[in-house]
Amino acid sequence: MEQFYLAALQMVPGIGSSRMKVLIDYFGSARQTWLADQGDLFLSKCIDTTICNNLLSCRDKIDIHKLADTLFKKGISLCTLTADNYPSLLQNSFNPPYVLYYRGTLPATDKLIAIVGARKATAYGKNAASMLAAALAAAGVGIVSGAARGIDTAAHQGALEQQGYTIAVLGSGVDVAYPPENKNLLASIAETGAVVSEYAPGTMAHPGHFPARNRIINALARGVVVVEAAEKSGALITADFALEEGRDVFAVPGSIFANTSKGANKLLKLGAKPVDCATDILEEYGWENFSVKPTTLALSAEEQAIYGLLNYDEPMSIEEIVTKLKVLPATAAYILLQLSLRGLTVEHSAQRYTRAAREGIE
């Protein structure tokens, strides 16, 4: 039951990893800390009056056995800082959470790369994130991101399309789908990867949680790839954490005219390593022997005509395709559907399409 006492202590406002260690060293265990009477807590001088009152208040509200039963029923597991399956890179980072909640399977390797970026991403950014994640996943590299809209979602989806391993780090409890539209995505990630958080189940997403979430994304991975980011963004906070931890920072070059690329382009000026394909990352770590060999598309003449018309960053409407190629709208729609089912195109709002960027396609 020690792990559940640790989880309960982590729920107490004001008790972080460093203070948790001090308390456990003094009282001998999380259980003894949790059960200590008020006088002993004051005498320990490990916590001030406010935190002591917080602990006593939480103790009145939290039933340890009920907590364990709730986690079991929800299919949520716990991993403590000293456990054998605690992710090694995170374990050795500056401020690892004492308890991780997770659904799925924690990584058994440190062959992990984080991909982060703008929530309001462009088609170019989402294509780049998906392409990199898919190619890295095909090479056996796990993808870490935050399950946010935009770049994060594209990165997770790219990894899943290759049946690859991916980790979603949340700024909420692992039983809370945020954003709501990613509920199915998170369920898919939990089946073959992991959904993790330091926040207790039921905790709703909050702006103040995301910087802390970002430090975990960075600490889980060997390096961080920023695909699109404004000059002030969560992705740049993740990059800052990466630099503090001695992690590698990569950036995908973006348009000099796009606000969503100003942050990534600034990172490049400051010395981030430029990336335009997964091989740039694989070679950095000596993983290039696992890279995917190019394949040739077998397309009909009509499919090739439409596929050749599309690009990776500017969505094109069916009306534009019909006008340029002089084909029937129904024919264009059918061919686009077939290309989409093969993972070659991406549909955007208002029935507009781009190519689905994939490395290994000639």
PDB file of all heavy atoms in Angstrom, residues 20-59:
ATOM      1  N   MET A  20       8.668  15.787  -0.352  1.00  0.00           N
ATOM      2  CA  MET A  20       8.245  14.404  -0.111  1.00  0.00           C
ATOM      3  C   MET A  20       9.429  13.578   0.383  1.00  0.00           C
ATOM      4  O   MET A  20       9.312  12.802   1.338  1.00  0.00           O
ATOM      5  CB  MET A  20       7.703  13.796  -1.405  1.00  0.00           C
ATOM      6  CG  MET A  20       7.167  12.389  -1.257  1.00  0.00           C
ATOM      7  SD  MET A  20       5.392  12.313  -1.236  1.00  0.00           S
ATOM      8  CE  MET A  20       5.007  12.656  -2.939  1.00  0.00           C
ATOM      9  N   LYS A  21      10.578  13.743  -0.251  1.00  0.00           N
ATOM     10  CA  LYS A  21      11.769  12.981   0.146  1.00  0.00           C
ATOM     11  C   LYS A  21      12.190  13.318   1.580  1.00  0.00           C
ATOM     12  O   LYS A  21      12.540  12.431   2.366  1.00  0.00           O
ATOM     13  CB  LYS A  21      12.925  13.263  -0.817  1.00  0.00           C
ATOM     14  CG  LYS A  21      14.163  12.419  -0.542  1.00  0.00           C
ATOM     15  CD  LYS A  21      15.268  12.713  -1.536  1.00  0.00           C
ATOM     16  CE  LYS A  21      16.442  11.773  -1.350  1.00  0.00           C
ATOM     17  NZ  LYS A  21      16.948  11.735   0.035  1.00  0.00           N
ATOM     18  N   VAL A  22      12.139  14.602   1.919  1.00  0.00           N
ATOM     19  CA  VAL A  22      12.508  15.023   3.269  1.00  0.00           C
ATOM     20  C   VAL A  22      11.577  14.389   4.305  1.00  0.00           C
ATOM     21  O   VAL A  22      12.029  13.889   5.348  1.00  0.00           O
ATOM     22  CB  VAL A  22      12.465  16.564   3.372  1.00  0.00           C
ATOM     23  CG1 VAL A  22      12.622  17.009   4.824  1.00  0.00           C
ATOM     24  CG2 VAL A  22      13.557  17.184   2.512  1.00  0.00           C
ATOM     25  N   LEU A  23      10.293  14.389   4.015  1.00  0.00           N
ATOM     26  CA  LEU A  23       9.316  13.815   4.945  1.00  0.00           C
ATOM     27  C   LEU A  23       9.518  12.310   5.121  1.00  0.00           C
ATOM     28  O   LEU A  23       9.494  11.784   6.238  1.00  0.00           O
ATOM     29  CB  LEU A  23       7.899  14.096   4.438  1.00  0.00           C
ATOM     30  CG  LEU A  23       7.366  15.516   4.644  1.00  0.00           C
ATOM     31  CD1 LEU A  23       6.144  15.761   3.778  1.00  0.00           C
ATOM     32  CD2 LEU A  23       7.035  15.765   6.116  1.00  0.00           C
ATOM     33  N   ILE A  24       9.736  11.614   4.004  1.00  0.00           N
ATOM     34  CA  ILE A  24       9.904  10.162   4.064  1.00  0.00           C
ATOM     35  C   ILE A  24      11.204   9.796   4.784  1.00  0.00           C
ATOM     36  O   ILE A  24      11.257   8.841   5.560  1.00  0.00           O
ATOM     37  CB  ILE A  24       9.854   9.568   2.642  1.00  0.00           C
ATOM     38  CG1 ILE A  24       8.442   9.708   2.069  1.00  0.00           C
ATOM     39  CG2 ILE A  24      10.260   8.092   2.646  1.00  0.00           C
ATOM     40  CD1 ILE A  24       8.319   9.388   0.609  1.00  0.00           C
ATOM     41  N   ASP A  25      12.247  10.581   4.527  1.00  0.00           N
ATOM     42  CA  ASP A  25      13.508  10.336   5.237  1.00  0.00           C
ATOM     43  C   ASP A  25      13.334  10.515   6.744  1.00  0.00           C
ATOM     44  O   ASP A  25      13.911   9.768   7.550  1.00  0.00           O
ATOM     45  CB  ASP A  25      14.595  11.292   4.730  1.00  0.00           C
ATOM     46  CG  ASP A  25      15.097  10.918   3.339  1.00  0.00           C
ATOM     47  OD1 ASP A  25      14.823   9.785   2.906  1.00  0.00           O
ATOM     48  OD2 ASP A  25      15.749  11.766   2.706  1.00  0.00           O
ATOM     49  N   TYR A  26      12.512  11.476   7.132  1.00  0.00           N
ATOM     50  CA  TYR A  26      12.329  11.762   8.561  1.00  0.00           C
ATOM     51  C   TYR A  26      11.435  10.710   9.230  1.00  0.00           C
ATOM     52  O   TYR A  26      11.772  10.183  10.289  1.00  0.00           O
ATOM     53  CB  TYR A  26      11.704  13.146   8.732  1.00  0.00           C
ATOM     54  CG  TYR A  26      11.526  13.549  10.185  1.00  0.00           C
ATOM     55  CD1 TYR A  26      12.551  14.191  10.881  1.00  0.00           C
ATOM     56  CD2 TYR A  26      10.329  13.283  10.867  1.00  0.00           C
ATOM     57  CE1 TYR A  26      12.402  14.545  12.212  1.00  0.00           C
ATOM     58  CE2 TYR A  26      10.164  13.633  12.202  1.00  0.00           C
ATOM     59  CZ  TYR A  26      11.203  14.264  12.864  1.00  0.00           C
ATOM     60  OH  TYR A  26      11.057  14.605  14.191  1.00  0.00           O
ATOM     61  N   PHE A  27      10.291  10.395   8.600  1.00  0.00           N
ATOM     62  CA  PHE A  27       9.324   9.498   9.235  1.00  0.00           C
ATOM     63  C   PHE A  27       9.540   8.025   8.884  1.00  0.00           C
ATOM     64  O   PHE A  27       8.978   7.142   9.527  1.00  0.00           O
ATOM     65  CB  PHE A  27       7.898   9.913   8.865  1.00  0.00           C
ATOM     66  CG  PHE A  27       7.442  11.173   9.545  1.00  0.00           C
ATOM     67  CD1 PHE A  27       7.417  12.383   8.861  1.00  0.00           C
ATOM     68  CD2 PHE A  27       7.056  11.167  10.877  1.00  0.00           C
ATOM     69  CE1 PHE A  27       7.002  13.553   9.481  1.00  0.00           C
ATOM     70  CE2 PHE A  27       6.637  12.332  11.509  1.00  0.00           C
ATOM     71  CZ  PHE A  27       6.619  13.528  10.817  1.00  0.00           C
ATOM     72  N   GLY A  28      10.333   7.757   7.843  1.00  0.00           N
ATOM     73  CA  GLY A  28      10.647   6.369   7.505  1.00  0.00           C
ATOM     74  C   GLY A  28       9.861   5.792   6.364  1.00  0.00           C
ATOM     75  O   GLY A  28      10.306   4.829   5.725  1.00  0.00           O
ATOM     76  N   SER A  29       8.697   6.344   6.065  1.00  0.00           N
ATOM     77  CA  SER A  29       7.873   5.841   4.958  1.00  0.00           C
ATOM     78  C   SER A  29       6.764   6.841   4.674  1.00  0.00           C
ATOM     79  O   SER A  29       6.466   7.728   5.499  1.00  0.00           O
ATOM     80  CB  SER A  29       7.259   4.481   5.300  1.00  0.00           C
ATOM     81  OG  SER A  29       6.249   4.616   6.297  1.00  0.00           O
ATOM     82  N   ALA A  30       6.131   6.686   3.510  1.00  0.00           N
ATOM     83  CA  ALA A  30       4.988   7.543   3.183  1.00  0.00           C
ATOM     84  C   ALA A  30       3.823   7.250   4.122  1.00  0.00           C
ATOM     85  O   ALA A  30       3.089   8.158   4.531  1.00  0.00           O
ATOM     86  CB  ALA A  30       4.570   7.310   1.732  1.00  0.00           C
ATOM     87  N   ARG A  31       3.654   5.986   4.467  1.00  0.00           N
ATOM     88  CA  ARG A  31       2.558   5.606   5.362  1.00  0.00           C
ATOM     89  C   ARG A  31       2.714   6.277   6.721  1.00  0.00           C
ATOM     90  O   ARG A  31       1.762   6.851   7.264  1.00  0.00           O
ATOM     91  CB  ARG A  31       2.521   4.083   5.530  1.00  0.00           C
ATOM     92  CG  ARG A  31       1.403   3.588   6.455  1.00  0.00           C
ATOM     93  CD  ARG A  31       1.401   2.063   6.561  1.00  0.00           C
ATOM     94  NE  ARG A  31       0.322   1.612   7.411  1.00  0.00           N
ATOM     95  CZ  ARG A  31       0.378   1.555   8.738  1.00  0.00           C
ATOM     96  NH1 ARG A  31       1.502   1.926   9.372  1.00  0.00           N
ATOM     97  NH2 ARG A  31      -0.664   1.137   9.454  1.00  0.00           N
ATOM     98  N   GLN A  32       3.932   6.230   7.275  1.00  0.00           N
ATOM     99  CA  GLN A  32       4.168   6.837   8.575  1.00  0.00           C
ATOM    100  C   GLN A  32       3.999   8.356   8.519  1.00  0.00           C
ATOM    101  O   GLN A  32       3.520   8.978   9.469  1.00  0.00           O
ATOM    102  CB  GLN A  32       5.567   6.485   9.075  1.00  0.00           C
ATOM    103  CG  GLN A  32       5.741   5.020   9.459  1.00  0.00           C
ATOM    104  CD  GLN A  32       4.782   4.594  10.555  1.00  0.00           C
ATOM    105  OE1 GLN A  32       3.872   3.795  10.341  1.00  0.00           O
ATOM    106  NE2 GLN A  32       4.973   5.169  11.734  1.00  0.00           N
ATOM    107  N   THR A  33       4.385   8.941   7.385  1.00  0.00           N
ATOM    108  CA  THR A  33       4.195  10.388   7.213  1.00  0.00           C
ATOM    109  C   THR A  33       2.717  10.720   7.208  1.00  0.00           C
ATOM    110  O   THR A  33       2.265  11.667   7.866  1.00  0.00           O
ATOM    111  CB  THR A  33       4.844  10.864   5.896  1.00  0.00           C
ATOM    112  OG1 THR A  33       6.228  10.515   5.890  1.00  0.00           O
ATOM    113  CG2 THR A  33       4.691  12.360   5.722  1.00  0.00           C
ATOM    114  N   TRP A  34       1.961   9.955   6.442  1.00  0.00           N
ATOM    115  CA  TRP A  34       0.519  10.204   6.300  1.00  0.00           C
ATOM    116  C   TRP A  34      -0.209  10.052   7.641  1.00  0.00           C
ATOM    117  O   TRP A  34      -1.140  10.808   7.947  1.00  0.00           O
ATOM    118  CB  TRP A  34      -0.063   9.240   5.268  1.00  0.00           C
ATOM    119  CG  TRP A  34      -1.513   9.443   4.959  1.00  0.00           C
ATOM    120  CD1 TRP A  34      -2.577   8.713   5.406  1.00  0.00           C
ATOM    121  CD2 TRP A  34      -2.070  10.452   4.110  1.00  0.00           C
ATOM    122  NE1 TRP A  34      -3.757   9.199   4.905  1.00  0.00           N
ATOM    123  CE2 TRP A  34      -3.469  10.270   4.100  1.00  0.00           C
ATOM    124  CE3 TRP A  34      -1.520  11.493   3.364  1.00  0.00           C
ATOM    125  CZ2 TRP A  34      -4.334  11.093   3.361  1.00  0.00           C
ATOM    126  CZ3 TRP A  34      -2.379  12.316   2.629  1.00  0.00           C
ATOM    127  CH2 TRP A  34      -3.765  12.109   2.635  1.00  0.00           C
ATOM    128  N   LEU A  35       0.232   9.101   8.444  1.00  0.00           N
ATOM    129  CA  LEU A  35      -0.447   8.799   9.709  1.00  0.00           C
ATOM    130  C   LEU A  35       0.104   9.590  10.894  1.00  0.00           C
ATOM    131  O   LEU A  35      -0.431   9.498  12.007  1.00  0.00           O
ATOM    132  CB  LEU A  35      -0.340   7.300  10.007  1.00  0.00           C
ATOM    133  CG  LEU A  35      -1.000   6.361   8.991  1.00  0.00           C
ATOM    134  CD1 LEU A  35      -0.751   4.908   9.379  1.00  0.00           C
ATOM    135  CD2 LEU A  35      -2.496   6.640   8.874  1.00  0.00           C
ATOM    136  N   ALA A  36       1.166  10.353  10.692  1.00  0.00           N
ATOM    137  CA  ALA A  36       1.779  11.100  11.796  1.00  0.00           C
ATOM    138  C   ALA A  36       0.791  12.086  12.408  1.00  0.00           C
ATOM    139  O   ALA A  36      -0.021  12.704  11.701  1.00  0.00           O
ATOM    140  CB  ALA A  36       3.016  11.846  11.288  1.00  0.00           C
ATOM    141  N   ASP A  37       0.856  12.242  13.726  1.00  0.00           N
ATOM    142  CA  ASP A  37      -0.072  13.193  14.347  1.00  0.00           C
ATOM    143  C   ASP A  37       0.449  14.617  14.171  1.00  0.00           C
ATOM    144  O   ASP A  37       1.598  14.845  13.775  1.00  0.00           O
ATOM    145  CB  ASP A  37      -0.311  12.860  15.829  1.00  0.00           C
ATOM    146  CG  ASP A  37       0.951  12.927  16.678  1.00  0.00           C
ATOM    147  OD1 ASP A  37       1.784  13.820  16.438  1.00  0.00           O
ATOM    148  OD2 ASP A  37       1.094  12.074  17.575  1.00  0.00           O
ATOM    149  N   GLN A  38      -0.423  15.553  14.460  1.00  0.00           N
ATOM    150  CA  GLN A  38      -0.119  16.963  14.197  1.00  0.00           C
ATOM    151  C   GLN A  38       1.140  17.426  14.931  1.00  0.00           C
ATOM    152  O   GLN A  38       1.973  18.137  14.367  1.00  0.00           O
ATOM    153  CB  GLN A  38      -1.315  17.821  14.608  1.00  0.00           C
ATOM    154  CG  GLN A  38      -1.159  19.295  14.264  1.00  0.00           C
ATOM    155  CD  GLN A  38      -2.443  20.081  14.522  1.00  0.00           C
ATOM    156  OE1 GLN A  38      -3.464  19.506  14.877  1.00  0.00           O
ATOM    157  NE2 GLN A  38      -2.391  21.380  14.335  1.00  0.00           N
ATOM    158  N   GLY A  39       1.280  16.984  16.173  1.00  0.00           N
ATOM    159  CA  GLY A  39       2.440  17.395  16.948  1.00  0.00           C
ATOM    160  C   GLY A  39       3.740  16.932  16.333  1.00  0.00           C
ATOM    161  O   GLY A  39       4.715  17.697  16.246  1.00  0.00           O
ATOM    162  N   ASP A  40       3.770  15.680  15.875  1.00  0.00           N
ATOM    163  CA  ASP A  40       4.992  15.155  15.257  1.00  0.00           C
ATOM    164  C   ASP A  40       5.315  15.872  13.953  1.00  0.00           C
ATOM    165  O   ASP A  40       6.484  16.089  13.625  1.00  0.00           O
ATOM    166  CB  ASP A  40       4.846  13.648  15.008  1.00  0.00           C
ATOM    167  CG  ASP A  40       4.903  12.840  16.300  1.00  0.00           C
ATOM    168  OD1 ASP A  40       5.433  13.362  17.292  1.00  0.00           O
ATOM    169  OD2 ASP A  40       4.404  11.698  16.303  1.00  0.00           O
ATOM    170  N   LEU A  41       4.273  16.224  13.214  1.00  0.00           N
ATOM    171  CA  LEU A  41       4.497  16.942  11.959  1.00  0.00           C
ATOM    172  C   LEU A  41       5.123  18.309  12.225  1.00  0.00           C
ATOM    173  O   LEU A  41       6.046  18.738  11.519  1.00  0.00           O
ATOM    174  CB  LEU A  41       3.167  17.106  11.205  1.00  0.00           C
ATOM    175  CG  LEU A  41       2.593  15.832  10.576  1.00  0.00           C
ATOM    176  CD1 LEU A  41       1.171  16.060  10.104  1.00  0.00           C
ATOM    177  CD2 LEU A  41       3.461  15.370   9.400  1.00  0.00           C
ATOM    178  N   PHE A  42       4.642  19.000  13.256  1.00  0.00           N
ATOM    179  CA  PHE A  42       5.218  20.295  13.607  1.00  0.00           C
ATOM    180  C   PHE A  42       6.651  20.152  14.100  1.00  0.00           C
ATOM    181  O   PHE A  42       7.547  20.910  13.734  1.00  0.00           O
ATOM    182  CB  PHE A  42       4.366  20.983  14.672  1.00  0.00           C
ATOM    183  CG  PHE A  42       3.171  21.705  14.117  1.00  0.00           C
ATOM    184  CD1 PHE A  42       1.890  21.377  14.528  1.00  0.00           C
ATOM    185  CD2 PHE A  42       3.324  22.719  13.184  1.00  0.00           C
ATOM    186  CE1 PHE A  42       0.787  22.037  14.012  1.00  0.00           C
ATOM    187  CE2 PHE A  42       2.225  23.392  12.661  1.00  0.00           C
ATOM    188  CZ  PHE A  42       0.945  23.052  13.072  1.00  0.00           C
ATOM    189  N   LEU A  43       6.868  19.137  14.932  1.00  0.00           N
ATOM    190  CA  LEU A  43       8.201  18.942  15.498  1.00  0.00           C
ATOM    191  C   LEU A  43       9.233  18.562  14.439  1.00  0.00           C
ATOM    192  O   LEU A  43      10.427  18.839  14.594  1.00  0.00           O
ATOM    193  CB  LEU A  43       8.154  17.858  16.584  1.00  0.00           C
ATOM    194  CG  LEU A  43       7.493  18.263  17.908  1.00  0.00           C
ATOM    195  CD1 LEU A  43       7.341  17.045  18.811  1.00  0.00           C
ATOM    196  CD2 LEU A  43       8.322  19.350  18.612  1.00  0.00           C
ATOM    197  N   SER A  44       8.776  17.922  13.380  1.00  0.00           N
ATOM    198  CA  SER A  44       9.713  17.480  12.333  1.00  0.00           C
ATOM    199  C   SER A  44      10.390  18.650  11.634  1.00  0.00           C
ATOM    200  O   SER A  44      11.487  18.528  11.104  1.00  0.00           O
ATOM    201  CB  SER A  44       8.973  16.643  11.293  1.00  0.00           C
ATOM    202  OG  SER A  44       8.159  17.459  10.453  1.00  0.00           O
ATOM    203  N   LYS A  45       9.705  19.807  11.589  1.00  0.00           N
ATOM    204  CA  LYS A  45      10.185  21.006  10.895  1.00  0.00           C
ATOM    205  C   LYS A  45      10.422  20.759   9.399  1.00  0.00           C
ATOM    206  O   LYS A  45      11.157  21.499   8.752  1.00  0.00           O
ATOM    207  CB  LYS A  45      11.471  21.536  11.546  1.00  0.00           C
ATOM    208  CG  LYS A  45      11.279  21.991  12.980  1.00  0.00           C
ATOM    209  CD  LYS A  45      12.553  22.590  13.557  1.00  0.00           C
ATOM    210  CE  LYS A  45      12.326  23.045  14.993  1.00  0.00           C
ATOM    211  NZ  LYS A  45      13.556  23.630  15.593  1.00  0.00           N
ATOM    212  N   CYS A  46       9.805  19.691   8.889  1.00  0.00           N
ATOM    213  CA  CYS A  46       9.921  19.388   7.451  1.00  0.00           C
ATOM    214  C   CYS A  46       8.962  20.240   6.626  1.00  0.00           C
ATOM    215  O   CYS A  46       9.190  20.460   5.438  1.00  0.00           O
ATOM    216  CB  CYS A  46       9.612  17.909   7.204  1.00  0.00           C
ATOM    217  SG  CYS A  46      10.772  16.769   7.966  1.00  0.00           S
ATOM    218  N   ILE A  47       7.882  20.682   7.267  1.00  0.00           N
ATOM    219  CA  ILE A  47       6.876  21.479   6.551  1.00  0.00           C
ATOM    220  C   ILE A  47       6.421  22.615   7.459  1.00  0.00           C
ATOM    221  O   ILE A  47       6.502  22.530   8.677  1.00  0.00           O
ATOM    222  CB  ILE A  47       5.650  20.620   6.133  1.00  0.00           C
ATOM    223  CG1 ILE A  47       5.105  19.833   7.324  1.00  0.00           C
ATOM    224  CG2 ILE A  47       6.005  19.694   4.987  1.00  0.00           C
ATOM    225  CD1 ILE A  47       3.867  18.995   6.997  1.00  0.00           C
ATOM    226  N   ASP A  48       5.934  23.683   6.831  1.00  0.00           N
ATOM    227  CA  ASP A  48       5.456  24.812   7.625  1.00  0.00           C
ATOM    228  C   ASP A  48       4.003  24.594   8.043  1.00  0.00           C
ATOM    229  O   ASP A  48       3.384  23.578   7.705  1.00  0.00           O
ATOM    230  CB  ASP A  48       5.625  26.127   6.859  1.00  0.00           C
ATOM    231  CG  ASP A  48       4.863  26.157   5.536  1.00  0.00           C
ATOM    232  OD1 ASP A  48       3.840  25.441   5.406  1.00  0.00           O
ATOM    233  OD2 ASP A  48       5.284  26.893   4.627  1.00  0.00           O
ATOM    234  N   THR A  49       3.457  25.553   8.756  1.00  0.00           N
ATOM    235  CA  THR A  49       2.103  25.420   9.300  1.00  0.00           C
ATOM    236  C   THR A  49       1.064  25.265   8.198  1.00  0.00           C
ATOM    237  O   THR A  49       0.140  24.444   8.309  1.00  0.00           O
ATOM    238  CB  THR A  49       1.757  26.653  10.164  1.00  0.00           C
ATOM    239  OG1 THR A  49       2.715  26.772  11.211  1.00  0.00           O
ATOM    240  CG2 THR A  49       0.364  26.517  10.775  1.00  0.00           C
ATOM    241  N   THR A  50       1.204  26.038   7.127  1.00  0.00           N
ATOM    242  CA  THR A  50       0.218  25.978   6.036  1.00  0.00           C
ATOM    243  C   THR A  50       0.184  24.591   5.406  1.00  0.00           C
ATOM    244  O   THR A  50      -0.895  24.016   5.198  1.00  0.00           O
ATOM    245  CB  THR A  50       0.546  27.033   4.964  1.00  0.00           C
ATOM    246  OG1 THR A  50       0.508  28.334   5.554  1.00  0.00           O
ATOM    247  CG2 THR A  50      -0.457  26.968   3.823  1.00  0.00           C
ATOM    248  N   ILE A  51       1.355  24.055   5.086  1.00  0.00           N
ATOM    249  CA  ILE A  51       1.410  22.737   4.447  1.00  0.00           C
ATOM    250  C   ILE A  51       0.943  21.652   5.418  1.00  0.00           C
ATOM    251  O   ILE A  51       0.275  20.694   5.032  1.00  0.00           O
ATOM    252  CB  ILE A  51       2.823  22.440   3.921  1.00  0.00           C
ATOM    253  CG1 ILE A  51       3.212  23.463   2.846  1.00  0.00           C
ATOM    254  CG2 ILE A  51       2.904  21.024   3.341  1.00  0.00           C
ATOM    255  CD1 ILE A  51       4.647  23.354   2.372  1.00  0.00           C
ATOM    256  N   CYS A  52       1.277  21.817   6.672  1.00  0.00           N
ATOM    257  CA  CYS A  52       0.819  20.858   7.684  1.00  0.00           C
ATOM    258  C   CYS A  52      -0.706  20.823   7.723  1.00  0.00           C
ATOM    259  O   CYS A  52      -1.319  19.750   7.742  1.00  0.00           O
ATOM    260  CB  CYS A  52       1.377  21.230   9.052  1.00  0.00           C
ATOM    261  SG  CYS A  52       0.890  20.095  10.362  1.00  0.00           S
ATOM    262  N   ASN A  53      -1.330  21.990   7.708  1.00  0.00           N
ATOM    263  CA  ASN A  53      -2.793  22.049   7.710  1.00  0.00           C
ATOM    264  C   ASN A  53      -3.376  21.460   6.430  1.00  0.00           C
ATOM    265  O   ASN A  53      -4.429  20.822   6.445  1.00  0.00           O
ATOM    266  CB  ASN A  53      -3.259  23.494   7.888  1.00  0.00           C
ATOM    267  CG  ASN A  53      -3.004  24.025   9.289  1.00  0.00           C
ATOM    268  OD1 ASN A  53      -2.944  23.238  10.245  1.00  0.00           O
ATOM    269  ND2 ASN A  53      -2.833  25.333   9.418  1.00  0.00           N
ATOM    270  N   ASN A  54      -2.667  21.696   5.320  1.00  0.00           N
ATOM    271  CA  ASN A  54      -3.106  21.089   4.052  1.00  0.00           C
ATOM    272  C   ASN A  54      -3.105  19.570   4.146  1.00  0.00           C
ATOM    273  O   ASN A  54      -4.025  18.887   3.682  1.00  0.00           O
ATOM    274  CB  ASN A  54      -2.189  21.519   2.905  1.00  0.00           C
ATOM    275  CG  ASN A  54      -2.338  22.967   2.531  1.00  0.00           C
ATOM    276  OD1 ASN A  54      -3.344  23.605   2.862  1.00  0.00           O
ATOM    277  ND2 ASN A  54      -1.350  23.517   1.838  1.00  0.00           N
ATOM    278  N   LEU A  55      -2.031  19.030   4.740  1.00  0.00           N
ATOM    279  CA  LEU A  55      -1.915  17.578   4.883  1.00  0.00           C
ATOM    280  C   LEU A  55      -3.033  17.030   5.763  1.00  0.00           C
ATOM    281  O   LEU A  55      -3.689  16.034   5.418  1.00  0.00           O
ATOM    282  CB  LEU A  55      -0.546  17.225   5.467  1.00  0.00           C
ATOM    283  CG  LEU A  55      -0.087  15.756   5.366  1.00  0.00           C
ATOM    284  CD1 LEU A  55       1.412  15.672   5.565  1.00  0.00           C
ATOM    285  CD2 LEU A  55      -0.788  14.844   6.355  1.00  0.00           C
ATOM    286  N   LEU A  56      -3.280  17.686   6.875  1.00  0.00           N
ATOM    287  CA  LEU A  56      -4.329  17.224   7.784  1.00  0.00           C
ATOM    288  C   LEU A  56      -5.701  17.293   7.119  1.00  0.00           C
ATOM    289  O   LEU A  56      -6.545  16.406   7.308  1.00  0.00           O
ATOM    290  CB  LEU A  56      -4.318  18.072   9.058  1.00  0.00           C
ATOM    291  CG  LEU A  56      -3.050  17.945   9.926  1.00  0.00           C
ATOM    292  CD1 LEU A  56      -3.086  18.973  11.050  1.00  0.00           C
ATOM    293  CD2 LEU A  56      -2.909  16.539  10.472  1.00  0.00           C
ATOM    294  N   SER A  57      -5.919  18.331   6.319  1.00  0.00           N
ATOM    295  CA  SER A  57      -7.192  18.473   5.613  1.00  0.00           C
ATOM    296  C   SER A  57      -7.371  17.369   4.580  1.00  0.00           C
ATOM    297  O   SER A  57      -8.438  16.763   4.472  1.00  0.00           O
ATOM    298  CB  SER A  57      -7.252  19.851   4.939  1.00  0.00           C
ATOM    299  OG  SER A  57      -8.426  19.980   4.167  1.00  0.00           O
ATOM    300  N   CYS A  58      -6.297  17.095   3.811  1.00  0.00           N
ATOM    301  CA  CYS A  58      -6.369  16.030   2.801  1.00  0.00           C
ATOM    302  C   CYS A  58      -6.576  14.670   3.467  1.00  0.00           C
ATOM    303  O   CYS A  58      -7.290  13.808   2.938  1.00  0.00           O
ATOM    304  CB  CYS A  58      -5.091  16.011   1.957  1.00  0.00           C
ATOM    305  SG  CYS A  58      -4.962  17.353   0.767  1.00  0.00           S
ATOM    306  N   ARG A  59      -5.950  14.470   4.606  1.00  0.00           N
ATOM    307  CA  ARG A  59      -6.069  13.197   5.319  1.00  0.00           C
ATOM    308  C   ARG A  59      -7.512  12.932   5.741  1.00  0.00           C
ATOM    309  O   ARG A  59      -7.964  11.785   5.759  1.00  0.00           O
ATOM    310  CB  ARG A  59      -5.143  13.199   6.529  1.00  0.00           C
ATOM    311  CG  ARG A  59      -4.911  11.825   7.118  1.00  0.00           C
ATOM    312  CD  ARG A  59      -3.686  11.812   7.987  1.00  0.00           C
ATOM    313  NE  ARG A  59      -3.858  12.572   9.213  1.00  0.00           N
ATOM    314  CZ  ARG A  59      -2.873  12.788  10.085  1.00  0.00           C
ATOM    315  NH1 ARG A  59      -1.663  12.333   9.846  1.00  0.00           N
ATOM    316  NH2 ARG A  59      -3.097  13.482  11.181  1.00  0.00           N
TER     317      ARG A  59
END
